[in-house]
């Protein structure tokens, strides 16, 4: 069952400007060390940050809160598995919110997809509740 859906569109040039003006202060407030390392290795650094910014915004919407109610930017983090597919982890208040949304007997799965076409970066997040498999419920 779908628990939440969120989307966001970010302007890469706007994120590049914020990075130029605020540098590490912005990076360290919004992005985890893993996200920063990924972005700094990429030729399109601003585009990589913009996609992750959009993913955090989309995730906060899928959680039904937006960026309020105690969610911190770093409570939502994007990383890539070996195949390159983006994944999202939630910690802190975002993880607590996810736990309250998840029905008993289910596990939450956060799906994320990212795309960009300069000057736009876009993310979609879908939060799914899957029944937990047990001996009585295969």
């Amino acid at each position: 069952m779908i628990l939440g859906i969120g989307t966001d569109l970010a302007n890469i040039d706007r994120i590049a400007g914020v990075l130029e003006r605020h540098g590490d202060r912005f990076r360290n407030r919004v992005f985890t060390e893993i996200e920063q390392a990924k972005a700094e290795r990429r030729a399109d650094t601003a585009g990589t940050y913009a996609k992750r910014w959009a993913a955090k915004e989309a995730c906060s919407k899928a959680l039904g809160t937006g960026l309020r109610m105690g969610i911190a930017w770093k409570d939502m983090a994007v990383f890539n598995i070996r195949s390159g597919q983006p994944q999202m982890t939630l910690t802190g208040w975002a993880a607590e919110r996810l736990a309250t949304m998840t029905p008993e007997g289910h596990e939450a799965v956060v799906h994320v997809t990212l795309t960009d076409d300069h000057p736009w970066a876009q993310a979609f997040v879908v939060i799914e509740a899957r029944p937990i498999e047990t001996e009585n419920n295969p």
Side-chain angles (χ1 to χ4, degrees):
M1 103 184 50
I2 302 299
L3 299 179
I5 299 172
T7 186
D8 192 66
L9 185 65
N11 185 289
I12 296 169
D13 293 334
R14 181 175 153 259
I15 296 296
V18 172
L19 287 164
E20 190 174 307
R21 282 189 306 281
H22 300 287
D24 286 341
R25 186 170 151 233
F26 171 68
R27 281 182 199 87
N28 294 332
R29 183 173 64 92
V30 176
F31 302 101
T32 65
E33 288 180 15
I34 292 170
E35 290 172 314
Q36 289 181 47
K38 173 76 171 183
E40 297 302 324
R41 286 191 310 265
R42 304 296 294 263
D44 184 11
T45 302
T48 302
Y49 279 121
K51 286 186 281 190
R52 279 147 180 76
W53 171 280
K56 292 167 186 274
E57 287 273 8
C59 185
S60 71
K61 294 170 185 174
L63 289 168
T65 63
L67 286 161
R68 58 172 207 250
M69 297 175 61
I71 290 181
W73 286 103
K74 289 183 177 182
D75 285 350
M76 302 164 288
V78 177
F79 66 97
N80 297 83
I81 61 175
R82 192 176 286 293
S83 68
Q85 177 184 357
Q87 300 283 305
M88 191 146 217
T89 59
L90 304 183
T91 58
W93 196 91
E96 291 173 23
R97 170 69 179 158
L98 182 62
T100 64
M101 294 171 59
T102 306
E104 192 172 322
H106 290 73
E107 64 180 344
V109 180
V110 180
H111 303 277
V112 61
T113 186
L114 308 172
T115 191
D116 64 291
D117 187 7
H118 198 87
W120 302 108
Q122 186 173 34
F124 285 95
V125 171
V126 175
I127 301 175
E128 172 190 14
R130 289 186 189 159
I132 297 173
E133 291 187 18
T134 62
E135 287 184 26
N136 299 330
N137 184 25

